[in-house]
Amino acid sequence: MQVFQKIPISILSTLKHLILELIYNMIAYSLALAALASTVTVTCVSSTNTNTNTNTNAKLSKVIQRQLDTGARVYVESDTGRQMIFHGVNTVVKGYPWVPLTTEFDIDISLNENDHINLSNLGVNIYRLGSMWPGIEPNEGEYNATYIDSLRIITREASNYGIYTILDMHQDVLSEKYCGEGIPAWAAITDDITFPSPLDETYTDKSNIDGFPTRQDCSKYNWPKYYNTYNAGLAFQNLYTNVNNVRDAWGKMWIHLATELGSVEDSILAYELINEPWSGDNMNNPKLFIPSVADKTYLQPTYDSLANDIRTIDNTTLIMFAAVTWDDVVPCGFEHPPGGDEYASQSVFAYHYYNKPQFLPKIYFHQRNADAERLQVGQILTEFERSNVDEDMTDDLYVEVANYADKYLLSWTNWEYKTFCKENEESINSDSQAAAYGSCKTGYGSHNWLYNDNGSIISDTAKKLARTYTQYTAGNIINMIFDPITSDYEFIYEHNVDIKEPTIIYANKQYNYPNGVLIDIIPNILDYTNTNGSENHYEFVMNTNRMKKFNFKNGEKIKIKMTAK
C-alpha cells in the first residue's frame, strides 16, 4: 500500500478505470457474443405441423421438492411422489406489449395452441415465461389486469399440453433509461443526465416517442457494455437497498403476481426473482466484481426481502434465485436460501451457461451442483446457448451442455424459442428503442432457428431439441444418458413400489426412432405402452407377477435401455 501512496491520485484514478474497463470488457463482450442475434422482419403464417400425438393433461399437479442424501433436492409431483425432469425453452418479450402474441401463430412472436402442440411434441414440458415488471405495473401502484390476463391465458393453455411455467422477472441492463429493459422507468432511480458515463459522452438525444436514449445512440455499443456505466450500476444498487422504497414496490409486484397466478395455478412451477442480477455500483466499489461479495452484500438481503413478501401469499410455489453471472469456478456467496434455511425445500438455485463468460462446463457444473448441495436447495439451468441449425452433433455447444445436464440430472430451459421481437420499416427508421413488436435490442432469439418462413419445423433443430429423457419417475433417478448421434438411451432408477402411477419416458419417434425402438428392461418386471395414444411417450408400470418371480424389493434398481431399430 505504501507504494501506491507515492502515485498521484489522478494516475491511480486512471489505472482504476482502466482495470475496471478491462475486467468488464471481458465480461460484457462475452455476454454479447452469447446473446446477440440478427434482426429480421417477417409476416404471420400458419404452422404447417399437423402432428397432434401430444401427451396432454387436463390438470397438472403442483410440483414440490424432495431432499436427497447429498443435501440437494429434486422436483416431485405432489400428488404422486414421482420425480420429475424438465426440458424447455425461454419465451421472453423484451418490449411492449411485453408478452407473446396469442391470437395467431407467428414464427417469431407467438405463443398459442399451435406452439404448445409443437413444443409438447418436441419434449418440452416447461418454459420460462417473461413476466415483465413494466407490463405488470407500468405506473407505480397501478397493476395492468389485461397483461396479467394474457399471462394467465398462456399458462393455462400450456398446462393442457403438459407444460409447466416459470414466471421470470427478466431484465438486461435494468431499464430503457440505460439502453436495456427490465423494470419500469419510475423504478430506475438515478440521475440519468450523465448516461452513459464513463463509457462515452452523455447521450443528449432523447426519443420523441418515450423520452429514452435513442436506438441510434444505444446501438453504438454491444448492449452488455452499458452495465459498465455509473447510472446502470447505481440503479441496481438503489433497487437492492430500497432507495425511495423501490425494493418494497418490487416485493408488492411479486405479491400481486403471486395472488393472481402462482397461488392459484398449479402449473406455475416457480417465481424467478430476477434474471442475471448485476452486482451493484461496482464502478465506485470494485470489490463487487468479486462474485461472492456481490452475492452476499446486495443479493442475499434483497432475496430475503422478496421471498418474505411472496410467502405472505404463497407458501408453496418454488422461488428461483440467481447469483451474478461471472461466478465460473468459485462458490456463490449465498449463506442461505431466500427467506432463510427454513425455506430450502421451496428454493431453487438458477444459473446459466454461456461460453463465455463461463469456460469449462465440467468445472462449472460441478461447482453449481456443489452450491445447491451446500444450500440444500434444488437447481435448474434456465439459459444456455441454442443449438446450431445443422445436423452436426459433435461440434455443438448446446449438445455438450445438454449432455452435462443429463449427467447432473438437471432440468433446463434453452435460450430462446423465438426472436419474440419484430421490426418493420417504421420502427427501424424511428428513434425509439422499441420494435414494432417487443424490442430487438438486448439478447434475443434467432429467426429461422426452429421454423422456416412457411411455418414448417426445421428438422435439424427439432432433432437436437427432442432429446430422449424421463419426465416422470416412480422412484429416485440414479443415472440418465442419451446419445444424440445413435439415439441410444439408458436410464437407471430406484423403484418405489408405493408409487402406482407410471414412469413416463419421452422418446420422439419422428426424429430419434423413425423405424421403431427396442426396449430392454433389467430386471424384466415392467410392462410398457404408449401414453394416451402419444407415439412419443412411453409409460412403464410394475408387473406384479414378474415382480414376485424376481423377488424384487422396494428401492431396488431398474435399468431401462432404448435403442433405435
Side-chain angles (χ1 to χ4, degrees), residues 193-433:
I193 61 173
T194 60
F195 178 79
S197 174
L199 185 64
D200 203 337
E201 296 180 357
T202 300
Y203 289 169
T204 56
D205 291 340
K206 302 294 180 182
S207 170
N208 292 324
I209 298 174
D210 48 36
F212 298 127
T214 64
R215 67 161 53 204
Q216 290 76 17
D217 276 343
C218 289
S219 65
K220 292 178 181 178
Y221 297 94
N222 289 339
W223 64 268
K225 276 183 169 275
Y226 288 110
Y227 281 111
N228 194 28
T229 61
Y230 291 117
N231 291 116
L234 182 58
F236 274 98
Q237 188 160 305
N238 288 340
L239 178 65
Y240 300 151
T241 57
N242 204 27
V243 170
N244 291 359
N245 299 315
V246 70
R247 189 180 72 187
D248 290 344
W250 187 6
K252 290 176 182 177
M253 181 277 293
W254 272 119
I255 288 174
H256 189 77
L257 200 58
T259 302
E260 294 292 325
L261 286 178
S263 64
V264 294
E265 303 289 342
D266 286 346
S267 65
I268 303 298
L269 177 71
Y271 311 113
E272 187 165 2
L273 297 178
I274 185 173
N275 172 69
E276 295 184 351
W278 190 244
S279 53
D281 187 12
N282 45 30
M283 297 300 294
N284 287 306
N285 184 4
K287 287 184 179 180
L288 293 174
F289 276 116
I290 303 172
S292 60
V293 172
D295 294 342
K296 186 180 300 184
T297 304
Y298 292 124
L299 296 182
Q300 181 83 81
T302 296
Y303 291 166
D304 287 343
S305 176
L306 296 176
N308 289 336
D309 288 334
I310 291 172
R311 294 308 178 203
T312 63
I313 296 297
D314 184 353
N315 208 34
T316 305
T317 304
L318 304 176
I319 289 179
M320 293 180 174
F321 65 103
V324 293
T325 59
W326 55 93
D327 52 350
D328 190 31
V329 296
V330 297
C332 69
F334 301 120
E335 297 177 344
H336 58 258
D341 290 330
E342 61 269 33
Y343 291 107
S345 64
Q346 296 120 296
S347 301
V348 180
F349 185 40
Y351 48 88
H352 300 170
Y353 183 89
Y354 290 106
N355 190 0
K356 314 221 181 9
Q358 285 74 46
F359 293 93
L360 298 175
K362 180 178 181 179
I363 297 174
Y364 181 77
F365 286 107
H366 175 79
Q367 182 57 62
R368 298 288 75 80
N369 186 67
D371 286 330
E373 291 182 353
R374 174 177 60 84
L375 294 169
Q376 299 188 40
V377 299
Q379 56 180 318
I380 187 169
L381 179 66
T382 49
E383 284 187 29
F384 62 109
E385 293 176 73
R386 54 191 166 270
S387 68
N388 300 330
V389 185
D390 58 38
E391 62 183 12
D392 186 3
M393 295 287 186
T394 61
D395 187 26
D396 192 325
L397 184 60
Y398 162 85
V399 174
E400 182 181 4
V401 171
N403 288 341
Y404 270 102
D406 283 356
K407 177 180 178 180
Y408 286 98
L409 306 180
L410 278 175
S411 294
W412 49 258
T413 53
N414 185 230
W415 185 265
E416 178 176 35
Y417 174 46
K418 297 181 177 182
T419 61
F420 287 114
C421 67
K422 183 182 289 189
E423 300 274 17
N424 60 21
E425 185 176 355
E426 181 181 356
S427 65
I428 291 173
N429 292 325
S430 77
D431 60 5
S432 173
Q433 299 173 35

Side-chain angles (χ1 to χ4, degrees), residues 369-549:
N369 186 67
D371 286 330
E373 291 182 353
R374 174 177 60 84
L375 294 169
Q376 299 188 40
V377 299
Q379 56 180 318
I380 187 169
L381 179 66
T382 49
E383 284 187 29
F384 62 109
E385 293 176 73
R386 54 191 166 270
S387 68
N388 300 330
V389 185
D390 58 38
E391 62 183 12
D392 186 3
M393 295 287 186
T394 61
D395 187 26
D396 192 325
L397 184 60
Y398 162 85
V399 174
E400 182 181 4
V401 171
N403 288 341
Y404 270 102
D406 283 356
K407 177 180 178 180
Y408 286 98
L409 306 180
L410 278 175
S411 294
W412 49 258
T413 53
N414 185 230
W415 185 265
E416 178 176 35
Y417 174 46
K418 297 181 177 182
T419 61
F420 287 114
C421 67
K422 183 182 289 189
E423 300 274 17
N424 60 21
E425 185 176 355
E426 181 181 356
S427 65
I428 291 173
N429 292 325
S430 77
D431 60 5
S432 173
Q433 299 173 35
Y437 197 104
S439 179
C440 308
K441 178 179 49 180
T442 60
Y444 54 96
S446 295
H447 179 69
N448 293 146
W449 175 66
L450 183 58
Y451 295 103
N452 293 303
D453 284 346
N454 65 2
S456 62
I457 289 178
I458 297 172
S459 59
D460 287 340
T461 302
K463 180 174 174 57
K464 292 181 179 181
L465 186 61
R467 294 172 63 92
T468 302
Y469 72 107
T470 305
Q471 295 180 331
Y472 294 87
T473 300
N476 292 322
I477 303 174
I478 302 299
N479 194 37
M480 185 172 72
I481 302 174
F482 175 66
D483 186 329
I485 298 175
T486 65
S487 297
D488 289 350
Y489 179 65
E490 181 176 293
F491 174 69
I492 301 174
Y493 75 104
E494 296 172 339
H495 186 86
N496 185 339
V497 297
D498 294 326
I499 298 176
K500 305 306 180 184
E501 289 74 13
T503 291
I504 298 179
I505 296 178
Y506 167 79
N508 187 281
K509 179 179 180 179
Q510 180 180 359
Y511 297 110
N512 289 318
Y513 309 101
N515 299 316
V517 59
L518 299 174
I519 298 178
D520 188 21
I521 304 169
I522 305 172
N524 186 21
I525 59 175
L526 302 178
D527 293 326
Y528 65 88
T529 186
N530 286 116
T531 303
N532 296 334
S534 168
E535 64 181 16
N536 297 328
H537 295 83
Y538 292 83
E539 62 178 40
F540 298 77
V541 296
M542 180 65 69
N543 182 301
T544 54
N545 291 329
R546 292 203 299 272
M547 175 184 171
K548 293 176 182 178
K549 176 182 177 181

Side-chain angles (χ1 to χ4, degrees), residues 137-187:
E137 190 182 8
N139 301 305
E140 186 173 6
E142 298 178 6
Y143 297 107
N144 186 343
T146 301
Y147 180 79
I148 293 174
D149 283 343
S150 296
L151 297 179
R152 183 181 293 108
I153 289 169
I154 290 172
T155 57
R156 285 184 176 178
E157 187 176 78
S159 71
N160 292 333
Y161 294 90
I163 300 173
Y164 283 83
T165 300
I166 299 168
L167 300 179
D168 164 39
M169 201 209 85
H170 207 90
Q171 71 80 33
D172 297 283
V173 208
L174 201 63
S175 168
E176 291 92 336
K177 287 184 176 181
Y178 320 117
C179 297
E181 86 290 318
I183 71 175
W186 58 263

